[in-house]
Amino acid sequence: MEQKWKEWLGKIKFVRSLRVRIFFIILVSGIASSLLMGYAVLRNYEERAVSLRTAVVQNQLLILANHLIHYDYLQSNTSETINAELEMLSNLYDGRVLIIGGDFKVVRDTYGVSDGKIMVSEEVIRCFQGESLSKYYPELGYIQITTPIKETVKVTTNSGEKETVVVRGAMLTSISNENIAAIKDVMKHNVFIMEVVLTFGIFAIAIAMSKAMTRPFERVTEAISAVKAGYTNENISVSDYTETIHIVDAFNQLLSRMRVLDESRQEFVSNVSHELKTPLTSMKVLADSLLTQPEAPAELYKEFLEDIAAEIDRENRIINDLLALVKMDKTAAELNITSVNMNELLELILKRLRPIARKRDVEIVFESIRPVMAEVDEVKITLAITNLVENAIKYNNEHGWVKVILDADHQEVLIEVTDSGIGIPEEALAHIYERFYRVDKSHSREIGGTGLGLSITRNVVLMHRGTISVSSTMGEGTCFKVAIPLNYIV
Ligand code: ADP
């Protein structure tokens, strides 16, 4: 039911607007309370008017009751004075008075309809028990009042003479509420006019309030639009509501993140251009120096061309690494996850790298603690581990060693790559994952680094929701530890 209601609301687009909702809430609650107030005023007036009139008439009836006893009207209803009084009363209140004697017989009916009839009803009986009652019948348009006709008599008892009250008869009076109803009608009319005026007022208030209350949100949109359009890059501030403060805070955080991204993008682009230009500059210098020496010996040509070929290789490596990195950014959500036998995978990677290690006289040791199956992207993980082992070989000493350990706990696959190499200075540890960062530019250029390898490795590990950490001692060696969940976390 609630779902359907929401769907229906969703269909009417304008109801989605907070402003429209506030407008309707104020309008509906304003009109409802003005209607309620009008109803309460009328109701209150009617109740008060009826009770006031009842009290007045009851007083007069009490006096009349005394007169009835005084003139002994219950025995003979011929008293002119009483008849005149009755006449006046019924005329004054546009009512009817029934005087009932002790034998429940109607002594006098001012309407002259029930004279001499027996009248027994609950009210009459209760009246004979001494109760004075009144009841209002709004639909029938009259108030009924019953008044006991009491006489104080002296009775002689054993303990002496005593005064006691005896109910001799009952008076059943119905008085019209006509002028109460007439006043109520006039009031109804006035209340209606007041309600119409109030409705217009509430309408105007609802428009003004809904506009004022949603204005901060419009200001948030304006501020964000200004940033979007590029007029400003400053943090925005709309502190009217806690809600707008939250939205604006979140937006400012997003903005500062974008600034950082933008800065790093600019830095990346300038780094890329620089890195790509360096081999080209070298090639240009080499080619120019050959061109300026037409008589240069063939050995010099060969040597320079070999250097140019090396620079081309370097350029190629940089481009390949860049492509790998860019691809990684793009396919962050598109990992090709399969269940991979990590032991076999590591064997294969090390097999491929052994010739390079042998060239540098570095020994590779593989320690596989247990068989491990993991859900990973085989190609990307291969790239990540290859980079680590390649670095361990590259930044090693002669007769050095690289130890790769494969282990797992019940949650993660753990890979450790330790080397006996040159180590990384402590102040450089925080930067080694940055793109194009190299500890010793000239040395790693000699070795053939691009500064992108660890950045690629870290990206791959993070894409698998894993962690990477490093510890290193200068001159002793470095240890990289990678932990990747056995089951891929979406
Ligand atoms: P590169 O292509 O230069 O190797 P990386 O991103 O792979 O780029 O590494 C960044 C820098 O970190 C390297 O230039 C090197 O100075 C340092 N480094 C990485 N691995 C090791 C290691 N095992 N031993 C010593 N230094 C290392």
Side-chain angles (χ1 to χ4, degrees), residues 262-275 322 325-326 329 435-436 452 455:
D262 198 42
E263 273 164 26
S264 85
R265 188 183 56 85
Q266 280 175 11
E267 198 187 308
F268 181 64
V269 170
S270 84
N271 281 344
V272 167
S273 332
H274 177 75
E275 295 296 325
L322 270 175
L325 203 62
V326 170
D329 280 350
R435 293 158 176 181
F436 297 114
L452 293 170
S455 166

Side-chain angles (χ1 to χ4, degrees), residues 391-392 394-395 419 423-424 432 437-439 449-454 478:
N391 280 351
K394 279 194 305 192
Y395 302 103
D419 64 57
I424 304 168
I432 52 171
Y437 181 82
R438 275 165 289 172
V439 176
T450 60
L452 293 170
L454 283 182
T478 308

Side-chain angles (χ1 to χ4, degrees), residues 124-142:
V124 174
I125 292 170
R126 283 174 67 183
C127 194
F128 272 102
Q129 284 163 354
E131 271 184 77
S132 181
L133 302 167
S134 73
K135 202 165 175 189
Y136 177 44
Y137 298 93
E139 320 76 51
L140 302 174
Y142 69 87

Side-chain angles (χ1 to χ4, degrees), residues 321 387-388 391-396 417 419 421-425 431-434 436-440 444-445 448-457 472 477-480:
D321 276 359
N387 281 341
L388 289 182
N391 280 351
I393 298 169
K394 279 194 305 192
Y395 302 103
N396 218 314
V417 180
D419 64 57
I422 56 172
I424 304 168
H431 304 286
I432 52 171
Y433 300 111
E434 288 169 14
F436 297 114
Y437 181 82
R438 275 165 289 172
V439 176
D440 178 350
S444 78
R445 191 170 151 73
T450 60
L452 293 170
L454 283 182
S455 166
I456 294 173
T457 301
S472 184
T478 308
C479 174
F480 280 94

